[in-house]
Amino acid sequence: MSFSKLVFAPLSYTGWGALEQLIPEVRNYSPEKILVVTDPMLEKIGLVERVTKPLEENDYKVTVYTDVVPEPPLATGEKLVSFTREGQFDMVIGVGGGSALDLAKLAAVLSVHEGSVEDYLNLSGSKQVEKKGLPKILIPTTSGTGSEVTNISVLSLVSTKDVVTHDYLLADVAIVDPELTVSVPAKVTAATGIDALTHAVEAYISVNASPATDGLALQAIRLIGRSLRKAVENGEDKQARIDMSHGSYLAGLAFFNAGVAGVHALAYPLGGQFHISHGESNAVLLPYVMGYIRKSCTSRMSDILNALGGNSSYMTEEEASYKCVEELERLVKDVGIPSTLAGFDIPESALESLTQDGVKQKRILARSPLTLKEDDIRNIYRSAFEGTVTEPE
């Protein structure tokens, strides 16, 4: 490709205290009834009140919807879209991790369309998104998914995942305030952090990478590489939270434009079949996929190593690419995520069904610098089960 198409969310506020921009931005749309889509735990700990209280103080009618679960199934999306249609809302605000934000986008757009959510799925749907939908403001409370700056809503099916995707799903306003991530537990910080890192790494090696996405991806890797361990160890480390928040945001911009590839393609069936969180699914596969495709992108993996804090100046690109895989393995281990499929209690008997579902992710697999065919996918799952990085024969 001799040129690149770059798409970004219309407006973003990033940095400590960015939530102060919520009311000024809401006023621009003059809504009366606002639907806030969020996670029930965030409501329980009082974090959602930081969004709803100023809205109510400014006389907006607010409905809080908390029927949100991790890795939301299609039925959850259908239920929310129906609720939004019936409620005749004027705006949707998503508050939370990727699941809440993805569902908020879905509700804002598909509530003004006919038919079911299933009709608009990428792999099997028969309808096209045609209307922009309700204004939407997305406020992440984790540093990982990048959902606030992408046009994708991910849903779990029986054994895998599918997406609704269109530029109308882009946020009208994204508010990325690292102060909202301070209360995130260490386990979630680790999983979402590796998710963000995977976004940046896969965007950098993507066949659709460009100089613009390269800059975003490498800076994201630098920020995450220097701060993820600290954020997991001490959630109140302000600078670590700031770095992770900005790293996640930049990684989201990078992968939205360059795309992700093999890690995500193989992670989807893990989430679909075994309900492993998306971040953990990416984490357990990241070293094995990168090790398998290493020869197709040695130079880029050398750059990734440097961005993670390594030094490739005394190595060949080949040596640096091996070292990059080792550093990815180390980082996953250091933040406490199991390093094998067996560590998630996935039986060996599941490897074939995972392979068959992985093959179906053609949209994502097409971005890999190494073409991954069925046998390759089977080999990677086998490697991840046994805990040994392998390469094509």
Side-chain angles (χ1 to χ4, degrees):
M1 184 183 294
S2 59
F3 66 91
S4 300
K5 177 183 177 182
L6 299 170
V7 180
F8 300 103
L11 177 62
S12 298
Y13 293 99
T14 65
W16 200 271
L19 188 59
E20 295 175 2
Q21 297 303 312
L22 174 62
I23 296 303
E25 286 303 324
V26 169
R27 288 191 185 121
N28 289 334
Y29 295 92
S30 303
E32 293 184 7
K33 295 181 65 178
I34 299 174
L35 176 63
V36 175
V37 179
T38 190
D39 184 286
M41 183 56 66
L42 296 182
E43 184 181 44
K44 183 177 180 180
I45 65 175
L47 191 59
V48 177
E49 188 178 2
R50 297 188 58 181
V51 173
T52 58
K53 185 176 180 180
L55 291 171
E56 290 167 347
E57 289 175 345
N58 282 270
D59 298 324
Y60 295 109
K61 297 177 183 177
V62 179
T63 298
V64 178
Y65 186 96
T66 62
D67 193 1
V68 172
V69 295
E71 318 301 319
L74 177 61
T76 299
E78 300 280 14
K79 182 178 179 181
L80 173 57
V81 169
S82 295
F83 181 87
T84 309
R85 284 173 179 157
E86 293 168 4
Q88 296 184 320
F89 296 99
D90 305 308
M91 171 178 279
V92 177
I93 298 178
V95 182
S99 297
L101 301 190
D102 278 9
L103 288 171
K105 290 189 281 189
L106 202 69
V109 175
L110 293 192
S111 62
V112 302
H113 287 76
E114 295 181 351
S116 66
V117 174
E118 188 174 16
D119 293 333
Y120 296 88
L121 291 175
N122 176 69
L123 295 177
S124 59
S126 58
K127 293 182 181 294
Q128 299 294 319
V129 173
E130 297 177 346
K131 303 173 186 177
K132 189 174 187 300
L134 305 176
K136 50 198 169 299
I137 298 177
L138 301 182
I139 307 172
T141 60
T142 64
S143 297
T145 69
S147 179
E148 71 276 6
V149 291
T150 68
N151 68 355
I152 302 169
S153 179
V154 184
L155 296 165
S156 296
L157 306 182
V158 174
S159 63
T160 186
K161 295 185 178 183
D162 202 351
V163 302
V164 176
T165 178
H166 192 282
D167 282 353
Y168 285 158
L169 271 73
L170 283 168
D172 294 287
V173 181
I175 298 177
V176 185
D177 189 337
E179 188 175 1
L180 300 178
T181 70
V182 170
S183 61
V184 175
K187 182 179 179 180
V188 178
T189 298
T192 55
I194 294 292
D195 188 17
L197 177 65
T198 305
H199 292 155
V201 167
E202 291 212 282
Y204 191 64
I205 61 151
S206 168
V207 297
N208 294 333
S210 69
T213 60
D214 286 351
L216 294 166
L218 286 176
Q219 180 62 3
I221 295 169
R222 292 186 193 102
L223 290 169
I224 296 167
R226 77 187 189 196
S227 61
L228 179 54
R229 291 179 177 91
K230 296 176 183 178
V232 171
E233 181 178 346
N234 177 15
E236 295 186 2
D237 186 323
K238 181 177 179 179
Q239 189 58 53
R241 290 298 193 183
I242 291 172
D243 285 351
M244 285 302 303
S245 185
H246 283 101
S248 172
Y249 173 76
L250 294 175
L253 294 176
F255 95 82
F256 174 44
N257 285 282
V260 288
V263 180
H264 275 73
L266 274 61
Y268 276 2
L270 286 181
Q273 292 189 31
F274 295 97
H275 308 293
I276 300 172
S277 77
H278 180 60
E280 289 177 320
S281 297
N282 278 330
V284 71
L285 290 170
L286 178 60
Y288 301 103
V289 174
M290 294 304 294
Y292 195 85
I293 70 171
R294 183 191 59 79
K295 289 183 180 179
S296 68
C297 51
T298 55
S299 175
R300 296 228 147 202
M301 289 183 69
S302 177
D303 294 340
I304 292 169
L305 173 65
N306 291 328
L308 286 169
N311 181 5
S312 68
S313 62
Y314 62 92
M315 307 176 193
T316 65
E317 286 184 353
E318 184 91 353
E319 292 169 336
S321 66
Y322 279 118
K323 194 70 175 177
C324 178
V325 175
E326 292 175 7
E327 181 55 36
L328 293 173
E329 284 183 296
R330 186 177 300 111
L331 182 52
V332 171
K333 181 180 178 180
D334 287 351
V335 298
I337 298 175
S339 58
T340 66
L341 297 185
F344 286 98
D345 296 324
I346 294 174
E348 185 175 6
S349 59
L351 299 184
E352 187 58 31
S353 63
L354 289 170
T355 298
Q356 295 308 315
D357 281 343
V359 170
K360 297 175 184 177
Q361 298 295 330
K362 300 184 186 302
R363 175 182 65 91
I364 307 176
L365 289 169
R367 305 181 189 121
S368 174
L370 176 69
T371 300
L372 296 176
K373 299 180 180 179
E374 182 175 326
D375 283 345
D376 299 307
I377 292 170
R378 185 177 290 109
N379 290 339
I380 292 171
Y381 278 129
R382 169 65 62 180
S383 295
F385 179 80
E386 296 177 348
T388 303
V389 175
T390 59
E391 298 185 12
E393 295 181 358

